[in-house]
Amino acid sequence: MSGGADRRPAKVLVTKIGLDGHDRGSRIVAASLRDAGMEIVYTPPWQEIPTVVKLAVEEDVDVVGISSLASDHLLVPGLVAALRRAGAEDVAVVVGGIVPHEDEAALLAAGVAEVFHPGRPLADIVATIDRLSAGRRTAAARHGGASHG
């Protein structure tokens, strides 16, 4: 793990929004990120966007990872916009799970940093999250800000 500009571990919020209760994939990814040395904030499923935004800001996470199995990815552009309104525009948002390829371009256009489709190797997911986290911490250090309080 790169450790970024401030050498603290990446901090990642792994959650689900909407009504989908399947959380096996998000648990596996969260455990892999934790095993890679990242700090994980994990929520149970069925979170609402305002709750996720509040938690992301309070916890000063680098990345919000949304797991989607039943079209909950369609809510993610609203989450990205809410993070921007809350002043957390530097927090990367990634989506993993069952996301139709035809929806990926709209997610990326809305500000999603990465879409992880089924079969993506966990090592690749870990490396991507680490890169996104390091980028946020480097930018914060460059602007005199601090992440992770």
Side-chain angles (χ1 to χ4, degrees):
M1 185 166 45
S2 69
D6 61 13
R7 305 184 57 80
R8 285 176 277 196
K11 193 168 186 179
V12 183
L13 171 59
V14 178
T15 188
K16 294 184 68 79
I17 54 177
L19 299 176
D20 174 16
H22 298 88
D23 62 352
R24 184 167 192 258
S26 62
R27 289 177 184 265
I28 291 169
V29 169
S32 294
L33 297 174
R34 181 204 60 214
D35 291 348
M38 297 182 194
E39 185 177 350
I40 305 303
V41 179
Y42 187 84
T43 75
W46 308 299
Q47 299 299 309
E48 295 181 353
I49 289 174
T51 304
V52 172
V53 170
K54 183 176 186 279
L55 191 55
V57 170
E58 286 177 356
E59 292 287 339
D60 192 22
V61 299
D62 300 307
V63 177
V64 173
I66 301 294
S67 174
S68 176
L69 187 64
S71 297
D72 295 324
H73 65 281
L74 299 173
L75 301 171
V76 175
L79 172 66
V80 172
L83 283 167
R84 289 178 179 155
R85 285 192 302 273
E89 61 277 343
D90 61 334
V91 174
V93 176
V94 298
V95 180
I98 307 298
V99 176
H101 287 279
E102 59 267 22
D103 292 345
E104 185 171 349
L107 290 172
L108 296 174
V112 169
E114 187 73 37
V115 176
F116 300 111
H117 295 282
R120 187 88 169 251
L122 286 170
D124 188 31
I125 294 171
V126 169
T128 301
I129 298 293
D130 188 47
R131 177 181 50 80
L132 292 169
S133 300
R136 178 179 187 251
R137 286 176 276 136
T138 299
R142 194 176 312 130
H143 294 101
S147 62
H148 304 314

